[in-house]
């Protein structure tokens, strides 16, 4: 690929003298892992020795037998052919005057272990040679660098893979049996690692342990997560321990991991027999709540715990209400973010997928920023998305994209509206949450190319995606939109409407981004395009009476939320919208792209009570059903476990998908009532516009933004609401109370429905009318 790509390595100037060295002991993918080694003398340790290191494949570095740093799965996951991260570590305290030894352990990782699922698995995605690249510097002079003089040998890691898990034989010692070869490597793709490292989080102890009929040990850690078990073992040399992983037990309490598909996700450890042994996988992780342990040859399990890992470490928000199911739903979302924010925002952490799905990312972007500091995480990912963008502007379904270099095997894995729009939605979300306009400047060209790609699907404002996935411009529509009972299905949105709505959203966001950074030409072009698409949408999909042609919840939710309807038709469309909810017996009728819009759109048409009812109902499809059914993370499907306890088809059924957790954005922005002000983003100005949900009883939430802690809480006394907010120093609050809330009083003084809140704590009192809510619910008040 001759032409340089946006997002390609932006490495600060490093005088690279190292060579990329491939261990000649290596037998290729899915064979024993290798190490490379160098012994080197030092007259003295200066104290500022710094290691700069990267690899093709995953690496762990040891100096004089001690591990360097605590980062996991280094160098991380990027679109390796164009961007390869390196880490920098101070290593003086590991060095000694005299003889030193450095070992770099290498394994397949995302670079060459299986990527993609059974239908079209790909090995050696980014290359077939694992290799190390490292240099130690002191005061700007080179102390050591990887070159052809290093040795290599095999590791106790006999096989490893992201999906596979790891086979480890502790009897194996590190023998230097081979040399290395230098491989061609373009240092300009090297970039300093761009986000927080993957680290271990607090351990999850055993919640329950029992034996099954075959004498295997079953362990429940009480929390579904992504990470690994840590074993303490004893036994003779050659005895063995197998560990399998599952997210659920079936309705008979039996261990069930059919949903992992071709991901073996297994640990296989052979003991060395040297007293008490401790083991955790080095080059893989699993998505699980339950572990099943088989002991062979007299091996003894002395202790086990589950260690979650993640690139996000410290939660930045809390949300509590009077409904424990709702509070658990927020916690489940936080756990799903942790499990799916391991270097890349993935769809799921357990099966033979675990890919940076763009659609899931865009719907979850804002929630992610509320729950954790996700700024650099998203920025890093956007650079991979831009590398993977196709020349015609198509954005890949996933990034880093394993298919881009293997289009012969998996053609056309790009260009879906609702998914590719992540290139517009995520940057704008970072601008709102962090006031980051640089990301707008960096991504604007990619946004524009994407909008032009979508327009080119049908060469016009009405986008007519082809039905078959392999064809250019095919879309996932509103993925997993529930269609109701098969014998009398409910309407779902057509691909053309979903695609056209997203062309409007993308054009609008691109225009806003361009205007924000002062790119007048692009702003105007995109504003005109948005206007053309809006007019065409109204012509094509809105009847004279204000009904949307597909007449489903997603159509109304998106069209209303993004102001696609003419003013004079909103009232009529709103009552059709209500009917779609009633037709679904007050339940959700939206999939991946419709769901985040559903509740905000209901609030927008004043159907507060209906929004509350849809959110709080506890049957399938619904957010709280899964919590009530014992979920500790967010499910991919509303009906992943049926009411009779039966498990939905394992072919595509993850119990740890954050997409539907995107509802947390609404909990913070409506139920707690605070959000960033686009006029002064990064929470320099904070909009407080609460939506009181009486059946929640009370809400208390805070968000630790860069500007400080933003807090909001309300409680009821009959129909009287007391709403307390905290505005951080150096910021300003803008209070907006809906007309329905009567007699507002701010810090004891009557106010109109808006007010400016200086830094500090404020108390707002007002009343809501349950009668009004009830009337609305029954649609009496249009
Ligand atoms: C993934 C989802 C993704 C969807 C799109 C699934 O396999 O798990 O996260 O959005 O495909 O089709």
């Amino acid at each position: 690929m001759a032409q340089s790509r946006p997002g390609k390595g932006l490495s600060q100037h490093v005088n690279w003298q190292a060579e990329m060295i491939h261990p000649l002991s290596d037998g290729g993918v899915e064979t024993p892992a290798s190490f490379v080694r160098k012994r080197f003398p030092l007259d003295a340790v200066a104290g500022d020795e710094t290691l700069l290191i990267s690899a093709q494949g995953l690496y762990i570095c040891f100096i004089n037998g001690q591990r360097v740093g605590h980062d996991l799965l280094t160098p991380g996951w990027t679109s390796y052919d164009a961007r390869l991260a390196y880490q920098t570590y101070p290593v003086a305290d590991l060095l000694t005057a005299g003889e030193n030894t450095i070992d770099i352990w290498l394994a397949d990782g995302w670079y060459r272990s299986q990527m993609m699922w059974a239908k079209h698995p790909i090995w050696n995605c980014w290359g077939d040679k694992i290799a190390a690249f490292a240099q130690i510097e002191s005061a700007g002079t080179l102390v050591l660098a990887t070159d052809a003089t290093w040795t290599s040998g095999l590791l106790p890691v006999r096989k490893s893979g992201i999906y596979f898990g790891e086979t480890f034989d502790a009897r194996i010692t590190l023998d230097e049996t081979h040399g290395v070869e230098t491989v061609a490597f373009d240092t300009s793709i090297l970039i300093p690692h761009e986000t927080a490292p993957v680290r271990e989080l607090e351990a999850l102890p055993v919640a329950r342990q029992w034996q099954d009929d075959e004498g295997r040990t079953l362990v429940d850690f009480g929390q579904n997560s992504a990470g690994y078990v840590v074993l303490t073992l004893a036994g003779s040399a050659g005895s063995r321990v197998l560990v399998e992983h599952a997210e659920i037990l079936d309705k008979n309490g039996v261990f069930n991991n059919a949903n992992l598909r071709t991901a073996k996700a297994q640990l296989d450890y052979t003991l060395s027999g040297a007293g008490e042994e401790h083991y955790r996988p080095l080059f893989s992780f699993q998505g699980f709540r339950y572990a099943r342990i088989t002991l062979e040859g007299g091996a003894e399990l002395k202790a086990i715990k589950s260690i979650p890992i993640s690139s996000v470490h410290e939660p930045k928000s809390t949300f509590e209400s009077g409904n424990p199911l709702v509070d658990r739903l927020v916690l489940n979302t936080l756990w799903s973010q942790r499990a799916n924010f391991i270097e890349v925002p993935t769809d799921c952490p357990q099966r033979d997928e675990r890919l940076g799905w763009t659609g899931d990312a865009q719907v979850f972007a804002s929630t992610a920023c509320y729950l954790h500091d996700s700024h650099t995480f998203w920025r890093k990912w956007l650079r991979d998305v831009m590398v993977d963008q196709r020349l015609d502007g198509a954005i890949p379904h996933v990034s880093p994209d394993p298919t881009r270099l293997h289009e012969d095997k998996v053609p056309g894995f790009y260009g879906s509206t609702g998914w590719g729009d992540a290139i517009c939605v995520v940057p704008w979300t970072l601008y709102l949450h962090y006031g980051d306009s640089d990301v707008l400047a960096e991504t604007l060209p990619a946004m524009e190319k994407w909008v032009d790609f979508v327009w080119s699907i049908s060469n016009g404002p009405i986008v007519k995606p082809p039905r078959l996935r392999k064809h250019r411009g095919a879309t996932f529509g509103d993925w997993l939109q529930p269609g109701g009972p098969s014998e009398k299905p409910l309407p779902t949105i057509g691909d053309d409407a979903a695609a056209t709505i997203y062309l409007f959203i993308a054009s609008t966001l691109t225009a806003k981004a361009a205007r924000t950074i002062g790119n007048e030409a692009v702003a105007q072009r995109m504003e005109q395009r948005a206007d053309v698409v809006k007019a065409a949408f109204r012509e094509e999909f809105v009847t004279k009476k204000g009904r949307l042609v597909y007449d489903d919840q997603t159509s109304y939710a998106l069209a209303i939320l993004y102001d696609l309807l003419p003013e004079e038709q909103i009232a009529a469309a709103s009552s059709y919208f209500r009917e779609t909810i009633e037709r679904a017996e007050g339940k959700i009728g939206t999939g991946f792209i419709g769901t985040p819009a559903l509740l905000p759109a209901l609030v927008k048409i004043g159907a507060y009570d209906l929004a509350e009812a849809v959110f709080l109902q506890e049957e399938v499809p619904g957010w709280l059903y899964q919590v009530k059914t014992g979920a500790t993370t967010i499910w991919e499907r509303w009906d992943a476990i049926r009411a009779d306890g039966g498990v939905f088809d394992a072919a595509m059924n993850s119990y740890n998908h954050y997409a539907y957790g995107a509802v947390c954005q609404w909990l913070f922005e409506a139920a707690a009532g605070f959000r960033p002000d686009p006029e002064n983003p990064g929470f320099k100005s904070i909009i407080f516009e609460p939506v009181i949900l009486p059946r929640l009883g009370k809400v208390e939430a805070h968000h630790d933004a860069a500007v400080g802690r933003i807090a909001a809480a309300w409680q009821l006394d009959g129909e009287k609401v007391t709403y307390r907010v905290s505005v951080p120093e150096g910021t300003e609050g803008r209070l907006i109370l809906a007309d329905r809330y009567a007699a507002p009083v701010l810090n004891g003084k009557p106010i109109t429905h808006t007010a400016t809140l200086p830094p500090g704590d404020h108390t707002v009192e007002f009343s809501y009318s349950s009668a009004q809510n009830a009337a609305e619910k029954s649609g009496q008040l249009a």
Side-chain angles (χ1 to χ4, degrees):
M1 229 161 307
Q3 70 277 7
S4 80
R5 287 176 172 272
K8 194 171 186 323
L10 309 163
S11 69
Q12 278 120 6
H13 178 65
V14 176
N15 174 15
W16 293 114
Q17 296 169 70
E19 296 184 81
M20 187 63 84
I21 56 172
H22 167 62
L24 291 170
S25 53
D26 178 44
V29 66
E30 297 203 339
T31 65
S34 286
F35 70 93
V36 295
R37 170 176 291 169
K38 181 73 177 177
R39 290 192 179 79
F40 58 104
L42 284 179
D43 300 337
V45 178
D48 67 340
E49 284 77 3
T50 302
L51 169 70
L52 296 91
I53 182 166
S54 187
Q56 293 176 178
L58 297 176
Y59 79 80
I60 298 176
C61 181
F62 300 87
I63 292 179
N64 296 330
Q66 293 199 72
R67 183 173 177 155
V68 174
H70 306 287
D71 304 344
L72 306 174
L73 305 172
T74 46
W77 189 14
T78 48
S79 298
Y80 294 128
D81 60 311
R83 292 165 27 85
L84 178 62
Y86 67 89
Q87 283 72 27
T88 303
Y89 299 104
V91 290
D93 57 350
L94 302 176
L95 294 167
T96 178
E99 198 59 25
N100 293 272
T101 303
I102 180 169
D103 283 350
I104 303 174
W105 293 24
L106 298 165
D108 297 357
W110 291 286
Y111 187 80
R112 72 176 190 186
S113 76
Q114 180 195 340
M115 285 286 114
M116 309 287 285
W117 52 96
K119 205 162 126 219
H120 33 56
I122 305 174
W123 283 268
N124 298 319
C125 271
W126 283 277
D128 58 3
K129 286 195 171 158
I130 51 174
F133 182 91
Q135 64 189 51
I136 298 179
E137 301 176 348
S138 165
T141 55
L142 188 69
V143 173
L144 174 87
T146 45
D147 61 23
T149 66
W150 288 50
T151 59
S152 71
L154 295 179
L155 287 172
V157 178
R158 309 316 287 168
K159 182 174 176 178
S160 77
I162 299 293
Y163 302 164
F164 169 81
E166 190 164 285
T167 299
F168 192 100
D169 186 337
R171 297 170 299 177
I172 305 278
T173 55
L174 273 58
D175 304 329
E176 298 161 64
T177 53
H178 294 71
V180 299
E181 64 173 350
T182 58
V183 292
F185 177 63
D186 167 5
T187 57
S188 74
I189 70 167
L190 284 168
I191 43 162
H193 191 255
E194 294 161 320
T195 189
V198 179
R199 287 281 175 82
E200 295 191 348
L201 304 180
E202 198 182 328
L204 298 167
V206 172
R208 187 165 71 93
Q209 183 163 336
W210 67 103
Q211 302 293 113
D212 69 6
D213 308 348
E214 285 148 58
R216 294 172 294 196
T217 303
L218 277 293
V219 179
D220 175 4
F221 294 101
Q223 175 62 54
N224 196 20
S225 73
Y228 37 68
V229 295
V230 175
L231 305 169
T232 303
L233 304 161
S236 57
S239 57
R240 217 163 136 224
V241 180
L242 293 179
V243 182
E244 299 162 274
H245 302 82
E247 296 183 293
I248 58 157
L249 306 177
D250 70 15
K251 62 180 175 188
N252 305 316
V254 174
F255 183 91
N256 179 325
N257 65 3
N259 69 331
L260 302 185
R261 306 190 306 209
T262 64
K264 207 151 188 274
Q266 182 174 300
L267 306 179
D268 180 342
Y269 180 86
T270 301
L271 282 77
S272 68
E276 197 168 83
E277 299 181 39
H278 302 278
Y279 172 65
R280 66 191 70 197
L282 300 169
F283 297 113
S284 180
F285 64 93
Q286 292 70 47
F288 67 103
R289 171 176 168 167
Y290 303 91
R292 180 163 67 187
I293 297 109
T294 307
L295 300 167
E296 291 175 6
E300 194 192 336
L301 177 65
K302 291 193 163 279
I304 184 168
K305 56 187 175 187
S306 161
I307 303 267
I309 66 170
S310 186
S311 296
V312 288
H313 312 141
E314 193 202 331
K316 290 292 183 188
S317 294
T318 59
F319 183 96
E320 281 162 35
S321 73
N323 182 324
L325 292 179
V326 171
D327 298 357
R328 180 74 228 193
L329 175 70
V330 176
L331 192 57
N332 288 4
T333 307
L334 188 134
W335 274 104
S336 277
Q337 180 182 9
R338 283 173 170 158
N340 286 296
F341 265 40
I342 294 177
E343 273 293 310
V344 161
T346 55
D347 61 326
C348 61
Q350 69 306 80
R351 65 186 182 211
D352 52 0
E353 200 158 353
R354 311 183 191 189
L355 297 167
W357 280 94
T358 46
D360 310 46
Q362 68 98 347
V363 295
F364 191 68
S366 182
T367 293
C369 295
Y370 277 114
L371 295 176
H372 289 96
D373 179 350
S374 306
H375 191 183
T376 58
F377 187 87
W378 283 127
R379 278 206 76 162
K380 163 195 176 289
W381 183 69
L382 285 168
R383 291 189 179 130
D384 290 311
V385 173
M386 289 191 284
V387 161
D388 290 322
Q389 183 174 27
R390 301 312 197 261
L391 295 177
D392 66 354
I395 294 284
H397 296 338
V398 301
S399 187
D401 181 4
T403 74
R404 179 165 54 78
L405 304 177
H406 303 276
E407 299 245 8
D408 54 325
K409 290 201 185 82
V410 190
F413 206 68
Y414 44 76
S416 166
T417 55
W419 271 246
D421 297 285
I423 195 61
C424 301
V425 174
V426 177
W428 188 253
T429 304
L430 299 186
Y431 175 68
L432 290 178
H433 277 264
Y434 304 108
D436 179 356
S437 55
D438 292 347
V439 69
L440 299 180
E442 192 180 342
T443 53
L444 187 67
M447 289 187 201
E448 213 187 342
K449 275 170 58 181
W450 166 249
V451 173
D452 290 339
F453 165 81
V454 178
W455 179 274
S456 76
I457 294 172
S458 315
N459 289 318
I462 299 299
V463 185
K464 295 192 172 67
R467 181 80 192 144
L468 295 181
R469 262 310 157 76
K470 62 174 186 265
H471 293 151
R472 183 176 184 279
T475 181
F476 296 114
D478 190 13
W479 188 250
L480 294 179
Q481 183 176 15
S486 55
E487 58 283 349
K488 211 165 164 296
L490 292 167
T492 54
I493 192 170
D495 287 352
D496 52 355
T500 303
I501 290 172
Y502 259 95
L503 175 56
F504 174 75
I505 294 170
S507 308
T508 307
L509 285 175
T510 306
K512 278 188 188 174
R515 197 150 289 295
T516 302
I517 61 169
N519 187 324
E520 188 58 33
V522 174
Q524 280 188 8
R525 189 167 84 87
M526 287 297 145
E527 279 153 4
Q528 283 153 12
R529 174 153 294 171
D531 290 345
V532 169
V533 175
K534 181 188 270 188
F537 176 87
R538 291 174 175 180
E539 180 75 22
E540 183 82 18
F541 298 111
V542 187
T543 67
K544 285 203 178 43
K545 288 188 65 188
R547 187 194 288 260
L548 296 184
V549 291
Y550 289 105
D551 204 26
D552 68 297
Q553 290 184 19
T554 297
S555 295
Y556 291 107
L558 289 171
I560 285 166
L561 191 63
Y562 290 97
D563 301 315
L564 270 160
L565 301 173
E567 191 59 40
E568 64 279 9
Q569 287 188 309
I570 290 181
S574 300
S575 60
Y576 286 125
F577 185 16
R578 288 167 197 279
E579 284 172 23
T580 64
I581 310 276
E582 281 136 24
R583 244 187 342 245
E585 296 156 35
K587 297 184 193 134
I588 290 174
T590 50
F592 273 33
I593 59 169
T595 299
L598 182 64
L599 302 177
L602 284 171
V603 165
K604 193 164 180 177
I605 64 167
Y608 283 39
D609 225 27
L610 209 47
E612 182 184 51
V614 170
F615 176 60
L616 292 177
Q617 67 86 25
E618 297 178 6
E619 290 164 37
V620 175
W623 286 279
L624 300 188
Y625 166 79
Q626 54 186 274
V627 181
K628 217 174 66 181
T629 314
T632 60
T633 43
I634 302 293
W635 293 350
E636 174 177 27
R637 319 178 71 101
W638 297 118
D639 51 1
I641 294 180
R642 289 192 294 268
D644 65 2
V647 171
F648 191 94
D649 171 2
M652 195 184 82
N653 194 4
S654 146
Y655 295 89
N656 203 343
H657 250 68
Y658 53 47
Y660 286 142
V663 70
C664 290
Q665 178 182 359
W666 184 74
L667 289 175
F668 287 110
E669 299 193 346
F674 56 73
R675 68 181 189 273
D677 180 352
E679 299 309 312
N680 201 349
F683 291 104
K684 294 199 184 59
S685 167
I686 305 148
I687 296 176
F688 291 94
E689 185 172 7
V691 172
I692 305 306
L693 307 172
R695 286 173 49 203
L696 271 187
K698 67 177 180 82
V699 161
E700 187 159 349
H702 78 253
H703 175 55
D704 291 330
V707 293
R709 174 161 293 192
I710 301 156
W714 56 261
Q715 58 199 70
L716 303 175
D717 174 6
E719 298 193 346
K720 187 160 166 288
V721 182
T722 302
Y723 182 54
R724 289 192 176 79
V725 304
S726 299
V727 179
E729 275 315 314
T731 74
E732 182 185 75
R734 285 179 47 206
L735 177 69
I736 303 171
L737 290 176
D739 296 345
R740 77 192 39 253
Y741 298 138
V745 173
L746 171 62
N747 301 329
K749 297 200 183 62
I751 54 166
T752 60
H753 279 69
T754 61
T756 301
L757 307 173
D761 298 338
H762 302 276
T763 302
V764 190
E765 292 156 300
F766 54 88
S767 60
Y768 79 95
S769 137
S770 54
Q772 175 178 2
N773 284 0
E776 262 158 23
K777 183 160 179 213
S778 58
Q780 286 156 14
L781 296 179

